[in-house]
Amino acid sequence: MNDSPGWASPGSAPSDGHDDNASVPRPSEPADGSGAGSKWSKEQPPVGQWSPSTAPGPGHVPPSAPVPGWGGPGRQGGWGQPPAAKPGVIPLRPLGVGEILDGAVSTLRAHWRTILGVTITVSVITQFCDILVQRYLVPAPPQANPDASPAEALDDAVESLQTSLIGLGPTLLIALVGTLVTTALLTIVVSRSVLGRPVTLGEAWAEARPRLPQLLGLTLLLPMISAGIMAVGLIPGALIGGAAGAALIGLGGIAAVCVVFWLMIRFSLASPALMLERQGVVAAMRRSAKLVQGAWWRVFGVLALTLLLTLLVSMIIAIPFTFAAFAAEGEGLSGLMSGKAPEFGWTFLIISGIGAVIASSITYPIQSGVTVLLYVDQRIRREALDLELARSAGLPGYGPASPGHDPTRS
């Protein structure tokens, strides 16, 4: 593996508005073609189909040895270079934002049986557990009393916050386990789809299972780091107290949030690095930091756009199910309009849970696919991974590859 940072393909893709059938001006020559300085034949190849000679001449370089500065095989850019090879869901060259999103959706379409088998199974199990928690473990929210004194209103607010936290803890734990399994399996599926290889659910599980303990450690370590940074930012102001302490809490909180935000983007590619390169937790975090270095804003933009799109999709799916659940609950809508806290029964929980399962089954693959493809894109830009991918996919002109070898796994 070439770990030299800063590598990028010097070539660029042709402009979107390029027309291969457009006429190309040629040097003028006498009408009879008899000019002494004319070097043009009467019979010219069709416009847009010029190609170099197939016979090797002096200084000929085989396709497997790319010329520095002109792009390698499968890269767009440089005269005489073919379009990027595409054995799977993405072209093997540095990707644009749209291509990353399209690759994630194409993976869902190409391997929908395996992906939906993963996401639906995990979503149903996690949603079932969440329904049981909400029904039996979470206490009912306190009813608001409009005639309560300020002290009583404060007590009600504290009690409501405690109720929310009690319900949030198990929900987050369930979501953590579901996300863990989904991320592990979908990472394997997406890495195979880049090479155009099929993968079954059993094969994905067999490859992902040995890495689950390390992935669990990474998943727990990142929130612990965030909580530690937030504590460092807030505790000094809380110890001082008073107006100065409140101001220090504000400043420390803002600084801590900025640091956490920066670190989470910096470590956002640690999960695919851990799964595909079979590295440890700390080594995967260092690997992610190296890949994101110099491209923090680009990685942030892609992940933020993906989050926005998945939130919109989730809302579009969940809102109709939520209204249907309120309507089926009987007094749900009337209680909501009257300002009372409705008591949700089995009907509401089941209908809203169905909407949550459908939303998760669609958004989980897109989020995981974007993260993995962003990881592959950064390695293409820095380490010429596209050449290894093309060789592993068995494309002609790239040299032999080991049978079944996946270059994303080191």
Side-chain angles (χ1 to χ4, degrees), residues 99-167:
E99 290 172 323
I100 293 176
L101 293 171
D102 179 70
V105 176
S106 298
T107 302
L108 176 59
R109 291 201 303 262
H111 304 281
W112 64 271
R113 289 183 179 88
T114 302
I115 291 177
L116 292 183
V118 172
T119 55
I120 291 178
T121 301
V122 174
S123 298
V124 168
I125 294 175
T126 55
Q127 196 62 39
F128 178 74
C129 295
D130 185 61
I131 288 175
L132 295 179
V133 168
Q134 296 294 328
R135 182 64 178 170
Y136 293 111
L137 297 183
V138 179
Q143 297 291 336
N145 183 7
D147 300 328
S149 63
E152 294 175 342
L154 180 60
D155 292 338
D156 291 340
V158 172
E159 184 179 355
S160 178
L161 180 60
Q162 291 176 347
T163 301
S164 301
L165 291 178
I166 292 174

Side-chain angles (χ1 to χ4, degrees), residues 25 28 47 70 79 138 177 180 305 375:
S28 60
V47 176
W70 289 88
W79 290 2
V138 179
V177 175
L180 179 75
L305 179 61
Y375 159 83

